Amino acid sequence: MSKRIDVTDLDVYYSDFLAVEGVNIEIEPRTVTALIGPSGCGKSTFLRTLNRMHEVIPGAHVKGSVELDGEDLYAPGIDPVLVRRQVGMVFQRANPFPTMSIRENVLAGVKLNGGRLARSDEDAIVEKSLRGANLWEEVKDRLDKPGMSLSGGQQQRLCIARTVAVAPDVILMDEPCSALDPISTLAVEDLIHELKTEYTIVIVTHNMQQASRVSDKTAFFNIAGAGKPGKLIEYADTT
Ligand code: ADP
Ligand code: ADP
């Protein structure tokens, strides 16, 4: 179920260094928001705070709040693992688990979180997720082949299937196409359009054309200079 994201007075630090300052943004469900801005302005840093992924970096911490349909992801006692189940992340470089088959890759996140499943449930999740990632027809006859045997574009859609399999409310993407060729990029962009009907999507991109093609809203970040914090300058309809 797609959820609204409310970010209030968010500051993000790496130890003492203030990397991102004073972000306020309301992101509506069933929309795609593109994060745009120069290198180093804090796009990835901000993105990672939306599922507490920044916490894997020692010393990284936040002030302010991030709410999903009014629920604070940073309230005391909230388990970051549960947050990451609700808010999935797709990375720049497709990262299928190298020792796993296509099928095992799709199920990897589900098993990590939920433990055992009946084989018939697994089959249903694998098919539904791969269909959801527009990959089913291409791989249905080779599900037991290594995930790494797929092309780069297919691997990225496999990683999207792995994220979708966990049934999140929000999907974050950090430059998901920057390592892909133009045809694979279009396939992933088409997929983003389709995913929008079920998820709230936030995507970091360096590419204004891509922002125009895939997003409803654009969040412009900027930075006043080296050592200064990145800031959200404007949040507007994508033109
Ligand atoms: P990209 O622009 O491709 O995302 P970056 O150079 O921004 O690559 O970052 C690559 C990795 O290095 C990220 O995980 C980021 O958190 C980390 N990183 C970036 N800047 C620093 C820094 N000043 N100190 C330590 N790690 C950093
Ligand atoms: P962008 O994604 O817009 O290129 P980043 O979020 O990667 O920007 O970086 C924002 C700022 O935070 C930069 O000054 C970068 O060097 C710094 N930074 C990023 N990751 C780390 C890290 N792991 N440790 C320390 N500083 C970091």
Side-chain angles (χ1 to χ4, degrees):
M1 188 183 64
S2 185
K3 290 191 175 171
R4 193 181 78 249
I5 306 169
D6 289 304
V7 176
T8 310
D9 295 335
L10 184 77
D11 298 333
V12 193
Y13 293 84
Y14 293 106
S15 302
D16 299 343
F17 174 60
L18 177 58
V20 173
E21 182 175 37
V23 178
N24 287 283
I25 191 169
E26 291 175 21
I27 299 175
E28 292 295 324
R30 290 181 202 81
T31 58
V32 179
T33 290
L35 307 183
I36 283 272
S39 198
C41 69
K43 303 180 294 296
S44 299
T45 296
F46 170 68
L47 191 77
R48 289 192 292 246
T49 65
L50 300 182
N51 74 347
R52 298 183 56 167
M53 198 62 110
H54 67 288
E55 288 172 17
V56 303
I57 299 168
H61 59 107
V62 305
K63 290 181 185 162
S65 71
V66 177
E67 294 175 351
L68 220 58
D69 274 7
E71 247 180 88
D72 187 352
L73 301 184
Y74 288 88
I78 301 264
D79 180 351
V81 173
L82 298 185
V83 170
R84 287 172 208 147
R85 196 191 290 185
Q86 279 184 285
V87 184
M89 174 92 80
V90 175
F91 296 92
Q92 178 171 7
R93 272 170 272 287
N95 54 349
F97 294 111
T99 60
M100 291 186 191
S101 67
I102 293 169
R103 175 193 163 79
E104 288 165 342
N105 262 287
V106 175
L107 292 169
V110 179
K111 291 195 164 173
L112 205 72
N113 292 321
R116 284 171 194 283
L117 287 172
R119 173 85 193 192
S120 58
D121 290 342
E122 289 186 2
D123 289 345
I125 290 171
V126 168
E127 178 169 347
K128 182 164 184 274
S129 306
L130 287 169
R131 281 190 190 283
N134 286 345
L135 192 57
W136 175 249
E137 293 301 329
E138 289 159 68
V139 303
K140 64 182 180 192
D141 298 325
R142 48 191 290 210
L143 294 175
D144 292 320
K145 294 276 185 299
M148 298 297 275
S149 67
L150 299 175
S151 74
Q154 289 173 325
Q155 287 184 21
Q156 192 56 297
R157 282 179 285 140
L158 176 61
C159 293
I160 292 171
R162 186 173 68 198
T163 301
V164 165
V166 183
D169 303 313
V170 176
I171 297 180
L172 311 177
M173 299 185 173
D174 197 346
E175 299 186 49
C177 300
S178 64
L180 302 183
D181 63 78
I183 302 291
S184 302
T185 295
L186 289 179
V188 170
E189 290 180 355
D190 283 345
L191 176 55
I192 292 171
H193 276 286
E194 291 170 24
L195 292 172
K196 181 173 94 167
T197 59
E198 285 186 66
Y199 309 97
T200 313
I201 298 176
V202 185
I203 172 174
V204 172
T205 174
H206 276 309
N207 182 327
M208 279 302 288
Q209 281 86 19
Q210 177 165 76
S212 307
R213 287 194 298 265
V214 303
S215 71
D216 306 291
K217 294 277 212 169
T218 306
F220 295 92
F221 280 74
N222 210 343
I223 180 168
K228 298 274 202 313
K231 293 185 179 180
L232 174 64
I233 303 303
E234 191 187 1
Y235 186 47
D237 289 341
T238 300
T239 52

